[in-house]
Amino acid sequence: MAITIPDISLNDGTTIPQLGFGVFQIEPKDTAAAVTTALETGYRHIDTAEMYGNEAEVGEAVRMSGLDRGSVYVTSKLNNGFHRPDDARKAFDSTLAALKMDYIDLFLIHWPLPTLYDGDYVSTWKVLEEFQRDGRARSIGVSNFQVAHLERLAAEADVVPAVNQIEAHPYFTNDEVRAYGREHNILTEAWSPIAQGKVLDDPTVLDIAGQLDRTPAQVVLRWHVQRGDIIFPKSTTPKRIEENTRIFDFELDDTAMERITALNKGEAGRQGPNPDTFAYVPR
Ligand SMILES: NC(=O)c1ccc[n+]([C@@H]2O[C@H](COP(=O)([O-])OP(=O)(O)OC[C@H]3O[C@@H](n4cnc5c(N)ncnc54)[C@H](OP(=O)(O)O)[C@@H]3O)[C@@H](O)[C@H]2O)c1
């Protein structure tokens, strides 16, 4: 049965499929096959990054699919070592070259790195504004930006990010950053939507899944969809790649939504690094 994935409107007039496919921690040698399975299953949105080392394989799978370039939404991200404007320009050229694409749908600053580059992520953002102006990035956004970082962009830059891609899942709902996004027309993309599998054996999630005759992953992904966030779960398991698309034919009622949201552990629930202090630069 074909799946229909809703499109969501961004603040720049473009749209993005609410469900995509993430390729973090997929080995380059396995990436084309995983993306091919995802595209065959009906995904039309792939989330990669220069840091993941598999942009070329994502581009290869999109080309091999025979789908029109315009029907597949591709996101990539600026790696942490390239925040200086000239480096960012070269890195963006390299991303397009690796993908073998002449434009990208969405390009993000991967991390704000407020303790590096003299705390200057604004001049980096202004370079992304150039990529949007010259048409090579249809949309631009940020990732792992905290409220203070977004406030600074609002004060010092021209373009409001279309999205902010942040860690969010039932153990870390990240609602303060999400609320800022909602108020300022910045869509939230929730990374590690199932906390890399760690929320799937939670008793509350299992209980709701049992009641609805759905899998725990489907219940948690559906919770994100009803919160209005964009998600791109990662899997290299074909059965799960398919399972994760079956989230648009059922609903969680208010009680189920609230029970899942109540699993939030705040900062203790974070799986990844805190963006205020994260300062990793790959060598
Ligand atoms: N901007 C950032 O800083 C940032 C950081 C992290 C992630 N991301 C993005 O977000 C995407 C998703 O996050 P993520 O990869 O960290 O984690 P995730 O999607 O929350 O979880 C992936 C893990 O869950 C397993 N899994 C997937 N579907 C499942 C299912 N239906 N049942 C049971 N297990 C399942 C996968 O196993 P198998 O593969 O073995 O099936 C994998 O181990 C990434 O791929 C990346 O695109 C962005």
Side-chain angles (χ1 to χ4, degrees), residues 59 132 279:
Q132 188 177 38

Side-chain angles (χ1 to χ4, degrees), residues 55-72:
E55 290 173 311
E57 292 75 12
V58 167
E60 182 192 331
V62 171
R63 274 192 311 286
M64 284 179 19
S65 72
L67 293 163
D68 288 344
R69 169 68 188 88
S71 67
V72 184

Side-chain angles (χ1 to χ4, degrees), residues 10-14 73 92 103-107 125-141 158-163:
L10 300 178
N11 65 18
D12 56 14
T14 64
Y73 194 98
F92 184 61
Y103 74 91
I104 193 157
D105 295 279
L106 176 62
F107 194 63
W125 176 249
K126 291 189 176 190
V127 178
L128 267 64
E129 291 180 350
E130 288 173 21
F131 305 153
Q132 188 177 38
R133 271 198 304 276
D134 71 23
R136 292 185 303 151
R138 297 270 161 96
S139 297
I140 54 173
D158 295 325
V159 177
V160 178
V163 306

Side-chain angles (χ1 to χ4, degrees), residues 21-26 46-49 51-52 77 108-111 142-144 165-169 189-200 215-218 221 231-241 243-244 272-273 278:
F21 182 70
V23 298
F24 177 43
Q25 291 175 331
I26 304 185
I46 312 294
D47 185 90
T48 184
M51 198 187 290
Y52 306 165
K77 315 184 190 93
L108 310 179
I109 299 181
H110 206 147
W111 288 89
V142 293
S143 178
N144 300 300
Q165 183 176 129
I166 54 174
E167 179 175 350
H169 45 71
E189 298 192 321
W191 63 251
S192 293
I194 55 174
Q196 301 202 328
K198 292 190 188 65
V199 292
L200 301 184
T215 68
Q218 287 170 330
L221 295 172
I231 45 172
F232 22 81
K234 169 266 174 186
S235 178
T236 45
T237 314
K239 191 174 152 293
R240 292 173 172 173
I241 293 174
E243 172 188 328
N244 294 346
F278 188 59

